[in-house]
Amino acid sequence: MLAQGPRVAAFEEAFARVTGSRHAIATSSGTTALHLALMAHGVGRGDEVITSPFTFIASVNTILFTGATPVFADIDERTFNIDANAIEAAITPRTKAIMPVHIFGQPCDMDEITALASKHGIVIIEDAAQAVGATYRGRPVGSFGTGTFSLYATKNVMSGEGGMITTDDDRIADQCRLLRNHGMRKRYQYEMLGYNFRLTDVLAAIGLAQLNRMPESTARRRANAAFLSAQIESVATPTVKEGRDHVWHQYTVRVREEMDRDDALRRLDAAGIGSGIFYPAGAHKFRHIKEVVGDVEMPVTDSVAASVISLPVHPLLDQADLERIVAAVNEL
Ligand SMILES: *Cc1c(COP(=O)(O)O)cnc(C)c1O
């Protein structure tokens, strides 16, 4: 079996168990998982969806795919996550959903977001693409509303390409399964306009093996991050708010104001230390989004985007690697 079959079903069952949801629905990517989750909740033209501008573009593009309007709420500069006060200020009668993005693997302020959602009758669609295994006050991300995950090659649990949707709601799960496969419940009977957003059994087999290794690989990421935070002095190390278990998809520092980031990147590169800029600009800066949203001011996102550097934190680092990273960073 190459296409969607028993391995996909086994992977979905294991994923639901690990993430504490009743259902997990495998998809062809994190992007298609977000797209299906939005559609299953009936998000469409005339609706607004509040999300963070400091994210991978798929969070925003999938809102656009449905015809809804993305509305940005600026971030908390300590955690890089969407600011709950900014969400509250962005709510209008047209707000249909809030899409918190658990950026870099740290859960958002879910108590505040859950309270806002229930007060205003708004659904929560979590973009947990970077946060598989993370918990907020002991509860796994992806279980606060409808959750979406990515299995892209760089994510903490990966199959190359792939995604997952998690939900406790039988109706949403059913809608996602239908939309994933041409709106087809019985063979060649189409209940609605649907897509081919299926995962393959080959990729599910890889994903299942990866999921089984997640406790070990997450523990290594945590130990690596703890070492870096204890040793790095030259730049601002990440803040983890209380009550959250961060899974360190990225370990992201901020250069100090007097430091030139491009120069820092060149020096790290010269020292043989891989680094990345996630993200060089907020989503509000791109033309196809400005055409819908207009010119909006996101000052915290702008200043964070101009000063972040992500350092290696992955599970295959050894002690010598970590010491080399610390030495090169503290030289800056
Ligand atoms: C990776 C990612 C996605 C999209 O996932 P794909 O599997 O690449 O389609 C969406 N949101 C965030 C925050 C991501 O990091």
Side-chain angles (χ1 to χ4, degrees), residues 245-278:
D245 251 336
H246 195 315
V247 293
W248 303 103
H249 174 61
Q250 296 293 348
Y251 183 88
T252 302
V253 299
R254 288 185 75 188
V255 298
R256 299 193 196 288
E257 227 154 82
E258 64 277 12
M259 199 185 273
D260 176 343
R261 183 173 65 176
D262 289 338
D263 179 57
L265 291 171
R266 270 193 298 275
R267 287 162 69 188
L268 289 174
D269 189 52
I273 308 299
S275 61
I277 305 298
F278 307 105

mmCIF file of all heavy atoms in Angstrom, residues 245-278:
data_model
loop_
_atom_site.group_PDB
_atom_site.id
_atom_site.type_symbol
_atom_site.label_atom_id
_atom_site.label_comp_id
_atom_site.label_asym_id
_atom_site.label_seq_id
_atom_site.Cartn_x
_atom_site.Cartn_y
_atom_site.Cartn_z
ATOM 1 N N ASP A 245 5.753 23.953 28.776
ATOM 2 C CA ASP A 245 6.833 23.072 28.388
ATOM 3 C C ASP A 245 7.172 23.369 26.936
ATOM 4 O O ASP A 245 6.413 23.031 26.039
ATOM 5 C CB ASP A 245 6.393 21.608 28.525
ATOM 6 C CG ASP A 245 7.093 20.940 29.676
ATOM 7 O OD1 ASP A 245 8.181 21.418 30.055
ATOM 8 O OD2 ASP A 245 6.552 19.947 30.198
ATOM 9 N N HIS A 246 8.298 24.019 26.744
ATOM 10 C CA HIS A 246 8.769 24.458 25.418
ATOM 11 C C HIS A 246 9.442 23.249 24.751
ATOM 12 O O HIS A 246 10.171 22.515 25.421
ATOM 13 C CB HIS A 246 9.772 25.583 25.676
ATOM 14 C CG HIS A 246 10.147 26.440 24.514
ATOM 15 N ND1 HIS A 246 10.447 25.941 23.279
ATOM 16 C CD2 HIS A 246 10.297 27.792 24.434
ATOM 17 C CE1 HIS A 246 10.763 26.966 22.469
ATOM 18 N NE2 HIS A 246 10.678 28.095 23.141
ATOM 19 N N VAL A 247 9.215 23.064 23.449
ATOM 20 C CA VAL A 247 9.857 21.915 22.775
ATOM 21 C C VAL A 247 10.997 22.339 21.836
ATOM 22 O O VAL A 247 11.555 21.505 21.120
ATOM 23 C CB VAL A 247 8.838 21.025 22.009
ATOM 24 C CG1 VAL A 247 7.906 20.342 22.984
ATOM 25 C CG2 VAL A 247 8.070 21.814 20.955
ATOM 26 N N TRP A 248 11.341 23.631 21.848
ATOM 27 C CA TRP A 248 12.567 24.093 21.184
ATOM 28 C C TRP A 248 12.694 23.650 19.736
ATOM 29 O O TRP A 248 13.694 23.085 19.326
ATOM 30 C CB TRP A 248 13.807 23.690 21.997
ATOM 31 C CG TRP A 248 13.740 24.230 23.373
ATOM 32 C CD1 TRP A 248 13.419 23.539 24.515
ATOM 33 C CD2 TRP A 248 13.931 25.600 23.768
ATOM 34 N NE1 TRP A 248 13.397 24.402 25.599
ATOM 35 C CE2 TRP A 248 13.714 25.675 25.165
ATOM 36 C CE3 TRP A 248 14.253 26.787 23.091
ATOM 37 C CZ2 TRP A 248 13.811 26.867 25.886
ATOM 38 C CZ3 TRP A 248 14.354 27.966 23.802
ATOM 39 C CH2 TRP A 248 14.138 27.997 25.179
ATOM 40 N N HIS A 249 11.650 23.944 18.956
ATOM 41 C CA HIS A 249 11.805 23.781 17.503
ATOM 42 C C HIS A 249 12.934 24.697 17.026
ATOM 43 O O HIS A 249 13.757 24.311 16.202
ATOM 44 C CB HIS A 249 10.494 24.102 16.784
ATOM 45 C CG HIS A 249 10.641 24.090 15.306
ATOM 46 N ND1 HIS A 249 11.021 22.964 14.619
ATOM 47 C CD2 HIS A 249 10.514 25.075 14.379
ATOM 48 C CE1 HIS A 249 11.101 23.255 13.326
ATOM 49 N NE2 HIS A 249 10.808 24.522 13.161
ATOM 50 N N GLN A 250 12.941 25.923 17.529
ATOM 51 C CA GLN A 250 14.067 26.831 17.287
ATOM 52 C C GLN A 250 14.533 27.387 18.626
ATOM 53 O O GLN A 250 13.726 27.589 19.539
ATOM 54 C CB GLN A 250 13.651 28.017 16.393
ATOM 55 C CG GLN A 250 13.225 27.632 14.990
ATOM 56 C CD GLN A 250 14.352 27.077 14.147
ATOM 57 O OE1 GLN A 250 15.547 27.162 14.498
ATOM 58 N NE2 GLN A 250 14.002 26.488 13.022
ATOM 59 N N TYR A 251 15.838 27.647 18.703
ATOM 60 C CA TYR A 251 16.423 28.352 19.848
ATOM 61 C C TYR A 251 16.808 29.729 19.331
ATOM 62 O O TYR A 251 17.759 29.868 18.560
ATOM 63 C CB TYR A 251 17.645 27.600 20.375
ATOM 64 C CG TYR A 251 18.239 28.255 21.599
ATOM 65 C CD1 TYR A 251 17.790 27.931 22.875
ATOM 66 C CD2 TYR A 251 19.227 29.231 21.467
ATOM 67 C CE1 TYR A 251 18.317 28.560 23.989
ATOM 68 C CE2 TYR A 251 19.758 29.860 22.577
ATOM 69 C CZ TYR A 251 19.302 29.512 23.845
ATOM 70 O OH TYR A 251 19.814 30.138 24.950
ATOM 71 N N THR A 252 16.018 30.739 19.727
ATOM 72 C CA THR A 252 16.115 32.041 19.079
ATOM 73 C C THR A 252 16.563 33.109 20.060
ATOM 74 O O THR A 252 15.887 33.362 21.057
ATOM 75 C CB THR A 252 14.754 32.399 18.445
ATOM 76 O OG1 THR A 252 14.424 31.352 17.526
ATOM 77 C CG2 THR A 252 14.813 33.716 17.704
ATOM 78 N N VAL A 253 17.698 33.709 19.755
ATOM 79 C CA VAL A 253 18.248 34.786 20.589
ATOM 80 C C VAL A 253 17.996 36.122 19.894
ATOM 81 O O VAL A 253 17.637 36.166 18.721
ATOM 82 C CB VAL A 253 19.763 34.598 20.820
ATOM 83 C CG1 VAL A 253 20.033 33.279 21.539
ATOM 84 C CG2 VAL A 253 20.554 34.680 19.510
ATOM 85 N N ARG A 254 18.184 37.221 20.650
ATOM 86 C CA ARG A 254 18.105 38.560 20.035
ATOM 87 C C ARG A 254 19.426 39.274 20.254
ATOM 88 O O ARG A 254 19.948 39.295 21.375
ATOM 89 C CB ARG A 254 16.984 39.368 20.673
ATOM 90 C CG ARG A 254 15.611 38.876 20.263
ATOM 91 C CD ARG A 254 14.526 39.769 20.813
ATOM 92 N NE ARG A 254 14.438 41.032 20.097
ATOM 93 C CZ ARG A 254 13.672 42.054 20.493
ATOM 94 N NH1 ARG A 254 12.957 41.966 21.596
ATOM 95 N NH2 ARG A 254 13.634 43.167 19.784
ATOM 96 N N VAL A 255 19.966 39.854 19.181
ATOM 97 C CA VAL A 255 21.203 40.628 19.321
ATOM 98 C C VAL A 255 20.882 41.937 20.038
ATOM 99 O O VAL A 255 19.761 42.439 19.982
ATOM 100 C CB VAL A 255 21.872 40.914 17.949
ATOM 101 C CG1 VAL A 255 22.272 39.616 17.268
ATOM 102 C CG2 VAL A 255 20.986 41.752 17.043
ATOM 103 N N ARG A 256 21.868 42.465 20.738
ATOM 104 C CA ARG A 256 21.663 43.731 21.444
ATOM 105 C C ARG A 256 21.664 44.879 20.440
ATOM 106 O O ARG A 256 22.174 44.750 19.335
ATOM 107 C CB ARG A 256 22.785 43.934 22.466
ATOM 108 C CG ARG A 256 22.798 42.826 23.497
ATOM 109 C CD ARG A 256 23.667 43.163 24.685
ATOM 110 N NE ARG A 256 23.951 41.946 25.455
ATOM 111 C CZ ARG A 256 23.082 41.297 26.210
ATOM 112 N NH1 ARG A 256 21.829 41.727 26.308
ATOM 113 N NH2 ARG A 256 23.432 40.210 26.870
ATOM 114 N N GLU A 257 21.078 45.993 20.883
ATOM 115 C CA GLU A 257 20.889 47.122 19.962
ATOM 116 C C GLU A 257 22.179 47.570 19.288
ATOM 117 O O GLU A 257 22.189 47.911 18.109
ATOM 118 C CB GLU A 257 20.263 48.294 20.722
ATOM 119 C CG GLU A 257 19.090 48.905 19.982
ATOM 120 C CD GLU A 257 18.134 49.566 20.958
ATOM 121 O OE1 GLU A 257 18.447 50.716 21.336
ATOM 122 O OE2 GLU A 257 17.127 48.954 21.351
ATOM 123 N N GLU A 258 23.276 47.550 20.038
ATOM 124 C CA GLU A 258 24.536 48.076 19.488
ATOM 125 C C GLU A 258 25.230 47.066 18.570
ATOM 126 O O GLU A 258 26.249 47.362 17.964
ATOM 127 C CB GLU A 258 25.480 48.517 20.627
ATOM 128 C CG GLU A 258 25.971 47.408 21.552
ATOM 129 C CD GLU A 258 24.994 47.035 22.685
ATOM 130 O OE1 GLU A 258 23.817 47.467 22.642
ATOM 131 O OE2 GLU A 258 25.421 46.292 23.589
ATOM 132 N N MET A 259 24.649 45.870 18.466
ATOM 133 C CA MET A 259 25.302 44.824 17.666
ATOM 134 C C MET A 259 24.702 44.791 16.256
ATOM 135 O O MET A 259 23.494 44.920 16.097
ATOM 136 C CB MET A 259 25.073 43.473 18.364
ATOM 137 C CG MET A 259 26.027 42.366 17.940
ATOM 138 S SD MET A 259 25.556 40.797 18.744
ATOM 139 C CE MET A 259 26.439 40.917 20.308
ATOM 140 N N ASP A 260 25.561 44.636 15.245
ATOM 141 C CA ASP A 260 25.110 44.565 13.849
ATOM 142 C C ASP A 260 24.802 43.099 13.532
ATOM 143 O O ASP A 260 25.697 42.255 13.546
ATOM 144 C CB ASP A 260 26.234 45.126 12.955
ATOM 145 C CG ASP A 260 25.927 45.018 11.470
ATOM 146 O OD1 ASP A 260 25.015 44.245 11.084
ATOM 147 O OD2 ASP A 260 26.613 45.689 10.695
ATOM 148 N N ARG A 261 23.517 42.800 13.246
ATOM 149 C CA ARG A 261 23.140 41.389 13.069
ATOM 150 C C ARG A 261 23.818 40.744 11.861
ATOM 151 O O ARG A 261 24.238 39.592 11.941
ATOM 152 C CB ARG A 261 21.626 41.234 12.953
ATOM 153 C CG ARG A 261 21.243 39.751 12.840
ATOM 154 C CD ARG A 261 19.766 39.531 12.887
ATOM 155 N NE ARG A 261 19.094 40.109 11.750
ATOM 156 C CZ ARG A 261 17.781 39.979 11.515
ATOM 157 N NH1 ARG A 261 17.034 39.292 12.378
ATOM 158 N NH2 ARG A 261 17.241 40.539 10.467
ATOM 159 N N ASP A 262 23.927 41.486 10.772
ATOM 160 C CA ASP A 262 24.568 40.904 9.578
ATOM 161 C C ASP A 262 26.015 40.522 9.879
ATOM 162 O O ASP A 262 26.492 39.476 9.444
ATOM 163 C CB ASP A 262 24.515 41.883 8.397
ATOM 164 C CG ASP A 262 23.103 42.028 7.864
ATOM 165 O OD1 ASP A 262 22.288 41.101 8.093
ATOM 166 O OD2 ASP A 262 22.804 43.065 7.250
ATOM 167 N N ASP A 263 26.682 41.391 10.632
ATOM 168 C CA ASP A 263 28.061 41.106 11.012
ATOM 169 C C ASP A 263 28.110 39.864 11.918
ATOM 170 O O ASP A 263 28.968 38.992 11.755
ATOM 171 C CB ASP A 263 28.644 42.330 11.729
ATOM 172 C CG ASP A 263 30.076 42.092 12.168
ATOM 173 O OD1 ASP A 263 30.899 41.785 11.285
ATOM 174 O OD2 ASP A 263 30.345 42.186 13.382
ATOM 175 N N ALA A 264 27.161 39.771 12.856
ATOM 176 C CA ALA A 264 27.103 38.606 13.749
ATOM 177 C C ALA A 264 26.899 37.324 12.935
ATOM 178 O O ALA A 264 27.554 36.300 13.184
ATOM 179 C CB ALA A 264 25.975 38.782 14.761
ATOM 180 N N LEU A 265 26.017 37.371 11.944
ATOM 181 C CA LEU A 265 25.749 36.191 11.100
ATOM 182 C C LEU A 265 27.000 35.785 10.334
ATOM 183 O O LEU A 265 27.330 34.599 10.234
ATOM 184 C CB LEU A 265 24.618 36.484 10.108
ATOM 185 C CG LEU A 265 23.221 36.644 10.717
ATOM 186 C CD1 LEU A 265 22.236 37.146 9.671
ATOM 187 C CD2 LEU A 265 22.736 35.324 11.319
ATOM 188 N N ARG A 266 27.723 36.780 9.810
ATOM 189 C CA ARG A 266 28.965 36.488 9.068
ATOM 190 C C ARG A 266 29.993 35.827 9.975
ATOM 191 O O ARG A 266 30.666 34.872 9.593
ATOM 192 C CB ARG A 266 29.553 37.784 8.488
ATOM 193 C CG ARG A 266 29.034 38.118 7.085
ATOM 194 C CD ARG A 266 29.864 39.221 6.439
ATOM 195 N NE ARG A 266 29.793 40.485 7.184
ATOM 196 C CZ ARG A 266 28.814 41.381 7.015
ATOM 197 N NH1 ARG A 266 27.857 41.189 6.125
ATOM 198 N NH2 ARG A 266 28.802 42.494 7.728
ATOM 199 N N ARG A 267 30.080 36.326 11.203
ATOM 200 C CA ARG A 267 31.086 35.771 12.123
ATOM 201 C C ARG A 267 30.709 34.352 12.568
ATOM 202 O O ARG A 267 31.582 33.495 12.727
ATOM 203 C CB ARG A 267 31.285 36.719 13.304
ATOM 204 C CG ARG A 267 32.051 37.967 12.848
ATOM 205 C CD ARG A 267 31.916 39.106 13.819
ATOM 206 N NE ARG A 267 32.597 38.859 15.091
ATOM 207 C CZ ARG A 267 32.492 39.662 16.154
ATOM 208 N NH1 ARG A 267 31.757 40.747 16.086
ATOM 209 N NH2 ARG A 267 33.125 39.366 17.269
ATOM 210 N N LEU A 268 29.433 34.112 12.772
ATOM 211 C CA LEU A 268 29.005 32.741 13.125
ATOM 212 C C LEU A 268 29.288 31.796 11.964
ATOM 213 O O LEU A 268 29.791 30.679 12.155
ATOM 214 C CB LEU A 268 27.510 32.709 13.465
ATOM 215 C CG LEU A 268 27.100 33.375 14.773
ATOM 216 C CD1 LEU A 268 25.578 33.394 14.911
ATOM 217 C CD2 LEU A 268 27.736 32.665 15.972
ATOM 218 N N ASP A 269 29.010 32.248 10.766
ATOM 219 C CA ASP A 269 29.247 31.441 9.572
ATOM 220 C C ASP A 269 30.738 31.124 9.443
ATOM 221 O O ASP A 269 31.118 29.979 9.178
ATOM 222 C CB ASP A 269 28.717 32.198 8.345
ATOM 223 C CG ASP A 269 28.738 31.333 7.104
ATOM 224 O OD1 ASP A 269 28.188 30.212 7.172
ATOM 225 O OD2 ASP A 269 29.321 31.760 6.091
ATOM 226 N N ALA A 270 31.558 32.131 9.667
ATOM 227 C CA ALA A 270 33.014 31.936 9.562
ATOM 228 C C ALA A 270 33.504 30.932 10.612
ATOM 229 O O ALA A 270 34.477 30.205 10.379
ATOM 230 C CB ALA A 270 33.736 33.271 9.725
ATOM 231 N N ALA A 271 32.802 30.892 11.765
ATOM 232 C CA ALA A 271 33.178 29.943 12.825
ATOM 233 C C ALA A 271 32.556 28.564 12.595
ATOM 234 O O ALA A 271 32.713 27.657 13.424
ATOM 235 C CB ALA A 271 32.751 30.506 14.183
ATOM 236 N N GLY A 272 31.856 28.407 11.487
ATOM 237 C CA GLY A 272 31.253 27.106 11.164
ATOM 238 C C GLY A 272 29.996 26.790 11.962
ATOM 239 O O GLY A 272 29.652 25.632 12.157
ATOM 240 N N ILE A 273 29.314 27.837 12.432
ATOM 241 C CA ILE A 273 28.069 27.638 13.196
ATOM 242 C C ILE A 273 26.890 27.984 12.287
ATOM 243 O O ILE A 273 26.767 29.126 11.833
ATOM 244 C CB ILE A 273 28.023 28.567 14.438
ATOM 245 C CG1 ILE A 273 29.287 28.436 15.287
ATOM 246 C CG2 ILE A 273 26.758 28.304 15.263
ATOM 247 C CD1 ILE A 273 29.543 27.070 15.863
ATOM 248 N N GLY A 274 26.032 27.019 12.050
ATOM 249 C CA GLY A 274 24.830 27.271 11.241
ATOM 250 C C GLY A 274 23.863 28.148 12.008
ATOM 251 O O GLY A 274 23.735 28.016 13.231
ATOM 252 N N SER A 275 23.218 29.072 11.326
ATOM 253 C CA SER A 275 22.207 29.898 11.996
ATOM 254 C C SER A 275 21.131 30.247 10.982
ATOM 255 O O SER A 275 21.305 30.025 9.790
ATOM 256 C CB SER A 275 22.842 31.172 12.559
ATOM 257 O OG SER A 275 23.396 31.930 11.499
ATOM 258 N N GLY A 276 20.008 30.738 11.478
ATOM 259 C CA GLY A 276 18.907 31.094 10.580
ATOM 260 C C GLY A 276 18.182 32.315 11.103
ATOM 261 O O GLY A 276 18.256 32.620 12.302
ATOM 262 N N ILE A 277 17.501 33.003 10.211
ATOM 263 C CA ILE A 277 16.659 34.136 10.619
ATOM 264 C C ILE A 277 15.211 33.712 10.428
ATOM 265 O O ILE A 277 14.714 33.627 9.308
ATOM 266 C CB ILE A 277 16.934 35.398 9.764
ATOM 267 C CG1 ILE A 277 18.411 35.773 9.795
ATOM 268 C CG2 ILE A 277 16.066 36.563 10.253
ATOM 269 C CD1 ILE A 277 18.932 36.118 11.154
ATOM 270 N N PHE A 278 14.560 33.412 11.536
ATOM 271 C CA PHE A 278 13.121 33.117 11.517
ATOM 272 C C PHE A 278 12.451 34.198 12.366
ATOM 273 O O PHE A 278 12.595 34.167 13.570
ATOM 274 C CB PHE A 278 12.824 31.741 12.106
ATOM 275 C CG PHE A 278 13.637 30.652 11.455
ATOM 276 C CD1 PHE A 278 14.712 30.093 12.123
ATOM 277 C CD2 PHE A 278 13.343 30.217 10.181
ATOM 278 C CE1 PHE A 278 15.466 29.102 11.521
ATOM 279 C CE2 PHE A 278 14.099 29.228 9.568
ATOM 280 C CZ PHE A 278 15.166 28.668 10.240
#
